[in-house]
Amino acid sequence: MKEITEIVRAVKEVRRQNPLVGSWTNFVTINFVANAQLAVGGRAAMCFLPDEAKPLSCISKAVYVNMGTLQPIASESLPQAAKTAFELNKPWVLDPIASGLGDTRNHVIKTLKDYRPNIIRGNASEIIALANLWELQTERQGNVEGVDSTDTVEEASQSAAVLAKFTKGVVAVSGETDLILSTEKAYHITGGSQMLKSITGAGCSLGGVIAVFAAVADNLTAALAGSLIYKWASETAQKEKIGTASFQNAFIDNLSLTNAESITEYAKKHLSEVSLND
């Protein structure tokens, strides 16, 4: 499968190039996001201030914008970071956490529409809500409950498709079975651990890791590599039969221990191409 070859190449290239990724993420999970990015081989730089958005985006190989725990300055810093990446043709990843929750958040998300992200990663409800906020669909309504999804990945598939068509990029919908799609191809990734639901920042750090891979690979390969490695690392950590705090540490350990052989074998079992109409 050609996709597995590209994923393995991306895993190796991240460790060889050690790319810097500028991230605007939330203060609940910022430590976890940075450590996950470091574990897979990237370099992490976390930012909040508006006047640092453009300089950091300029020196970064990719940019990650996470909508969690917004501060008032986010209305300046997030659009500036996205705008700079867009104008410099650098890959940037949008994680539309809690889309649709409030007016301030929704206003910031709407401004980001002008700077079409290369990759969007979110849970099913966030993907549905984002497609609504960007007025790309009218008939589907998501059910956002904070950062949790109340919709299934299958229910978000059409919303993901319209977002991919609008951005001409890739959308990754995280769930029990992940859906990764572009305008041309779609994939399912099974496996992983239910314990990811018991620690904070699993989704945030996945978006940050996908941004690391986007620094060295095409959009589709980056989304597939990040999502697949997360499934493998969490599943492997759970095998140790530990509590949630130790699981978080074991999960980071496994991210840092990812190698070509383990990912290739895992991908053969858990990665499959599906019809765009599924």
Side-chain angles (χ1 to χ4, degrees):
M1 193 176 185
K2 178 184 176 183
E3 291 83 353
I4 298 177
T5 301
E6 294 301 316
I7 290 169
V8 170
R9 180 178 293 124
V11 170
K12 293 179 178 177
E13 278 300 299
V14 162
R15 299 198 186 285
R16 187 182 71 81
Q17 296 187 28
N18 191 215
L20 175 67
V21 174
S23 296
W24 284 259
T25 188
N26 70 77
F27 53 74
V28 174
T29 65
I30 188 169
N31 179 271
F32 192 38
V33 173
N35 277 306
Q37 291 177 319
L38 294 172
V40 299
R43 284 184 292 150
M46 325 312 275
C47 185
F48 288 105
L49 297 177
D51 65 300
E52 295 177 347
K54 184 174 182 178
L56 183 55
S57 292
C58 286
I59 62 173
S60 296
K61 296 297 184 183
V63 167
Y64 175 49
V65 174
N66 177 301
M67 301 295 300
T69 58
L70 290 183
Q71 300 296 304
I73 57 175
S75 61
E76 299 178 55
S77 56
L78 299 190
Q80 183 61 61
K83 179 175 185 288
T84 302
F86 179 77
E87 292 179 344
L88 295 177
N89 199 29
K90 292 187 177 185
W92 76 278
V93 178
L94 172 63
D95 198 332
I97 290 181
S99 296
L101 188 61
D103 291 343
T104 300
R105 182 180 307 275
N106 292 343
H107 171 73
V108 175
I109 290 177
K110 287 179 180 178
T111 64
L112 298 176
K113 182 182 179 183
D114 292 337
Y115 316 115
R116 305 181 185 203
N118 299 71
I119 302 171
I120 299 168
R121 190 228 65 89
N123 65 38
S125 294
E126 291 164 348
I127 295 300
I128 294 169
L130 180 63
N132 290 336
L133 283 172
W134 283 1
E135 300 180 337
L136 302 176
Q137 63 182 14
T138 56
E139 69 278 10
R140 184 72 180 90
Q141 298 297 320
N143 299 301
V144 176
E145 288 186 357
V147 299
D148 298 323
S149 177
T150 59
D151 298 281
T152 66
V153 171
E154 290 73 21
E155 289 171 332
S157 60
Q158 291 303 311
S159 300
V162 299
L163 285 167
K165 182 179 181 181
F166 172 72
T167 62
K168 298 181 175 61
V170 170
V171 178
V173 190
S174 301
E176 187 169 339
T177 296
D178 292 348
L179 170 65
I180 315 293
L181 64 79
S182 66
T183 56
E184 298 178 345
K185 293 185 175 182
Y187 300 85
H188 279 161
I189 302 176
T190 59
S193 168
Q194 290 297 311
M195 290 186 75
L196 283 175
K197 296 180 179 179
S198 300
I199 61 174
T200 186
C204 299
S205 54
L206 172 56
V209 164
I210 288 175
V212 172
F213 286 111
V216 302
D218 63 84
N219 299 331
L220 183 58
T221 299
L224 289 173
S227 300
L228 189 72
I229 286 172
Y230 256 57
K231 293 284 192 185
W232 175 82
S234 63
E235 189 172 315
T236 305
Q238 187 174 0
K239 289 178 180 176
E240 299 180 20
K241 298 186 183 305
I242 49 184
T244 54
S246 296
F247 169 79
Q248 187 176 41
N249 288 333
F251 174 64
I252 292 291
D253 280 345
N254 282 309
L255 286 180
S256 71
L257 297 172
T258 303
N259 58 57
E261 182 179 1
S262 60
I263 290 304
T264 298
E265 292 305 311
Y266 195 77
K268 289 178 180 177
K269 295 179 181 177
H270 296 283
L271 174 64
S272 60
E273 186 171 359
V274 296
S275 169
L276 282 170
N277 296 320
D278 285 353

